[in-house]
Amino acid sequence: MKATRWFNHPGMRALLALGLVLALGCLAHADGAFFRWSTHRDMLRQVSVGGILACGMTLVIITGGIDLAVGSVLGFCAVLFAQLAVHRGWPVGAVVLVVLLAGAAAGTASGALVARLRVQPFIATLAMMVFARGLAKWWSGGQKISSAVQKADGTYVYVDLPAIFQWLDARLLGGNVAAVTLVFFACLGLSWVVLAKLRYGRYLYATGGNEEAARYAGVPIARAKLLAYGLSGLFAAVAGICQAVQEQQGDPEAGSTYELTAIAIAVIGGNSLAGGRGGVGLTLLGALTIGYLEKILSINAVAESNRLMLTGVIIVAAVLLQRRRAG
Amino acid sequence: MPAPLLQLTGIGLSFGATRALDDVSFELRAGEVHLLAGENGAGKSTLIKILAGIHPEHEGTIRLDGREVRFATPQAARRAGIAVIHQELSLVDAMSVEDNLHLGRESSRLGGVWLDRRAHGQRALALCRELELELTVGDLGRPVGDFPLSVKNRLEIARALSGEARIIVMDEPTSALHRTEVDRLFRLIDGLRARGVGVIYISHKMEEIYRIADRITVLRDGRLVGTAPRAECPPATLIRWMIGRELSQQFPARPAARPERRVALEVRHLRVAATDPARPPVVRDVSLTVHEGEIVGLAGLQGSGAAEVLHALFGARGRVTGGEVSLADGAYEPREPRRALARGLVLATADRKATGLVLPLSVTGNITLAALPRFSPGGVLRPQAERSAARARVEELQIRLASPEQEAGALSGGNQQKVALARWLETRPRVLLLEEPTRGVDVGAKHEIYALLNRWTSAGAAVLLISTEMPELLALSDRILVLHRGEVAAEFPRAEATAEKVLAAAMGATSAEATKTES
């Protein structure tokens, strides 16, 4: 029997961590900057790309795995998106479709290594992380892909960026919310539907909770894992498009170390790396906690060196706060 | 009169609103085996955990040799000479036998930095000899996960002994042991008794209780019901104390089998290779038939292949090496559990923790897991349907829980077992392969499970049953097949089966000695 006190619910503990960060913001409000809506709007915009990656990461973590490749897949997808949309001038719909399929394919490949060939998730996705980064550099020739297009004679011409670069970078709802933030919320919603409403969502939990027992109960383990990693790749592609739009270019180096941000968001929210527990509600709380933390440090003009050190300390503190009571 | 070895007074503990223990007193003398009995959830495990230093926030006092102590950590309890052998094995599968035996109390040299490997090896060998564990020096280096449950169980005991314990708590130590191994364990306990060690013994098995216990203490709903010497607490009293009512008989009557029933499962010349291809096959040649409405018992000692037959038929070991299997609706090839389930064949495994439940998942989620497509037409879950199905099973099996949405891992062992059974029930199976269906389940709940088996078979389900509890196997089975070294050694119809005959055949006595009937 376990204690069922309120703080034993992971959501409550994640809220507590978020509340502490918000309290910090109220104390260090940088001459009222923290109380302006634009600060919150910018925070949401800045945390969106990491948050989108964290949605896929949550699905994978619930199966008891980890996806280290999301940052690199993001980079490749950003390059692919910019190349097809800007340089080749493909119609936007086709570009988005191809990029999403590419991301999903990369994720599914990781998933196949994990599910079919039984490579450990850490190793399989580490390999995919290196491979996808190489692919991004090969595809782009090592160059950032921007509106400057090199002609055969070596001169540059500048082309107009397709309209999607404006749409996604726009502020909607009376300038109150960035479009990427809505994309992030859509990804959260999709993940929530998968986890809470679909049969395969239950299979993800069962696989992560006890793979052997799930197999004995007839759960299609391999397909569940393929789904989780495939969706993680898909979300990485979405994040890649958002990243390219925000940077107005496709940078082959984009998204490096973002996998760590995504893991940090999922874990700070209280998703257990052991698998079998958690949900995207927690991931949202984690994204807000990380987002506010970075925002508060930046509006107070804390130097980057100190910011990184402080973030490290606070991540540990947040995770310690959420640890399940032993016994 | 000297102070008792251990004296607990007024022990209480609450978890939130749940009162797990209330004003319990308990005494253990040196050289005594004190049986602790009670239904699942009666508070036995909580009491043991307090003694093991896991719940230092408890109320009441603990006196060791008359001196008051309070264990703040499990380490403190162990240092005081209290060793607990847990119901759920707590060995580290990936570590070697030797390292497991010394985990937490390594011998070291150079100020605690270097492990003293030689001392470890010698002590491990001596311990194994004391426990009649036939392990070679080479075996000591192999990971514990390589060994069957029965060996692991004795290693667990060996580990407790390696700490020079004065009080040993055994929580259902025989649940994974076969009869000969139980005898061995009891000889060991006699030795402990002679050395003045106090043993607290938890068991649900009547025959063991009256063989080993000096005194009996019964808990019910977290309270002390009573303590009595064995002679003053006959089985009827014990059962009344445990469940607070009289049970008319231990086993419900089996309805007579009707011979004209159809064949539900037919196995011809089944052969199953060992996981390690260098070893001989675990099942050599097994043929058997189970009819609809029939319970066939499969008996056999450790290594007989009985468990492997069940797992292989379910497809949990991949493709079988040889033989033919057919079900009522045609030929069947074991390949993976999914296919077996689709054909109405289920396996309830003995190892609840490893292959039974998904502990972090809710009780409801566990109950519907194997039948989930039925609860999610079009791939979308129907939580209402799931909840009402789970509620019905919780009611039917009288599973004790706070809420069907709580994690299955938070339930007591016996209730977890019922959740596992509920899951298989939910798949509406036609053939049930049951491996130790009542392991860790209290008397009252056992009765319910027996009644359930009768209901299933009356409805036409066929059951292939393994149980190390001989009385249970004899009472439930319409026929008993005895396996020895991967082959069917004997078959007894219900009327002819006795514990002696079954055991003799299981131990490999000749057919004449075992009075083998037609097979």
Side-chain angles (χ1 to χ4, degrees), chain A residues 14-74:
Chain A
L15 264 179
L16 184 61
L18 176 60
L20 288 178
V21 168
L22 287 176
L24 178 70
C26 292
L27 290 177
H29 54 72
D31 298 326
F34 186 72
F35 303 121
R36 279 195 288 276
W37 172 245
S38 60
T39 304
H40 300 269
R41 179 194 65 206
D42 292 348
M43 183 284 296
L44 282 172
R45 183 176 58 79
Q46 284 156 2
V47 83
S48 289
V49 167
I52 293 168
L53 293 179
C55 289
M57 189 66 73
T58 305
L59 299 178
V60 172
I61 282 177
I62 283 172
T63 68
I66 193 97
D67 190 350
L68 299 178
V70 290
S72 296
V73 173
L74 179 155

Side-chain angles (χ1 to χ4, degrees), chain A residues 29-315:
Chain A
H29 54 72
D31 298 326
F34 186 72
F35 303 121
R36 279 195 288 276
W37 172 245
S38 60
T39 304
H40 300 269
R41 179 194 65 206
D42 292 348
M43 183 284 296
L44 282 172
R45 183 176 58 79
Q46 284 156 2
V47 83
S48 289
V49 167
I52 293 168
L53 293 179
C55 289
M57 189 66 73
T58 305
L59 299 178
V60 172
I61 282 177
I62 283 172
T63 68
I66 193 97
D67 190 350
L68 299 178
V70 290
S72 296
V73 173
L74 179 155
F76 171 67
C77 288
V79 164
L80 185 66
F81 174 76
Q83 216 257 355
L84 295 180
V86 181
H87 288 198
R88 299 260 171 96
W90 286 21
V92 167
V95 175
V96 170
L97 188 68
V98 168
V99 171
L100 293 184
L101 284 177
T108 307
S110 301
L113 287 175
V114 172
R116 304 274 180 209
L117 301 180
R118 292 172 186 261
V119 181
Q120 286 191 355
F122 191 95
I123 304 297
T125 59
L126 181 70
M128 180 54 76
M129 166 177 142
V130 176
F131 181 86
R133 185 62 69 196
L135 198 62
K137 292 187 176 182
W138 173 72
W139 192 269
S140 63
Q143 303 292 312
K144 290 176 181 172
I145 295 179
S146 64
S147 56
V149 180
Q150 196 172 21
K151 289 281 185 197
D153 59 7
T155 61
Y156 285 90
V157 293
Y158 288 86
V159 296
D160 284 339
L161 290 172
I164 186 173
F165 280 80
Q166 276 85 56
W167 301 340
L168 267 180
D169 209 26
R171 291 184 195 150
L172 306 172
L173 306 176
N176 283 323
V177 181
V180 286
T181 302
L182 295 183
V183 175
F184 170 38
F185 288 156
C187 291
L188 278 173
L190 178 62
S191 312
W192 178 77
V193 167
V194 169
L195 285 174
K197 294 285 157 194
L198 299 188
R199 185 195 306 157
Y200 266 86
R202 181 71 53 74
Y203 286 164
L204 296 184
Y205 284 107
T207 302
N210 183 347
E211 187 169 331
E212 262 314 273
R215 191 170 72 90
Y216 273 74
V219 172
I221 306 285
R223 267 182 272 158
K225 287 184 181 172
L226 280 176
L227 178 78
Y229 286 90
L231 282 176
S232 180
L234 182 78
F235 286 133
V238 172
I241 293 173
C242 292
Q243 180 81 7
V245 165
Q246 286 185 335
E247 292 185 0
Q248 302 280 302
Q249 63 181 9
D251 181 353
E253 296 291 347
S256 50
T257 75
Y258 279 25
E259 60 279 350
L260 302 181
T261 309
I263 294 169
I265 288 174
V267 170
I268 282 193
N271 289 293
S272 159
L273 280 179
R277 287 192 184 91
V280 281
L282 298 179
T283 306
L284 172 61
L285 291 177
L288 293 178
T289 307
I290 289 256
Y292 273 118
L293 181 60
E294 297 201 331
K295 197 70 200 170
I296 290 161
L297 294 176
S298 81
I299 59 175
N300 284 286
V302 177
E304 196 204 357
S305 49
N306 297 340
R307 206 154 78 201
L308 292 174
M309 289 191 281
L310 260 172
T311 309
V313 170
I314 291 173
I315 288 176

Side-chain angles (χ1 to χ4, degrees), chain A residues 197 199 202 210 218 277, chain B residues 338 357 376 379 381 386 407:
Chain A
K197 294 285 157 194
R199 185 195 306 157
R202 181 71 53 74
N210 183 347
R277 287 192 184 91
Chain B
R338 281 173 65 70
L357 290 180
S376 52
L381 293 171
E386 283 193 82
E407 289 185 7

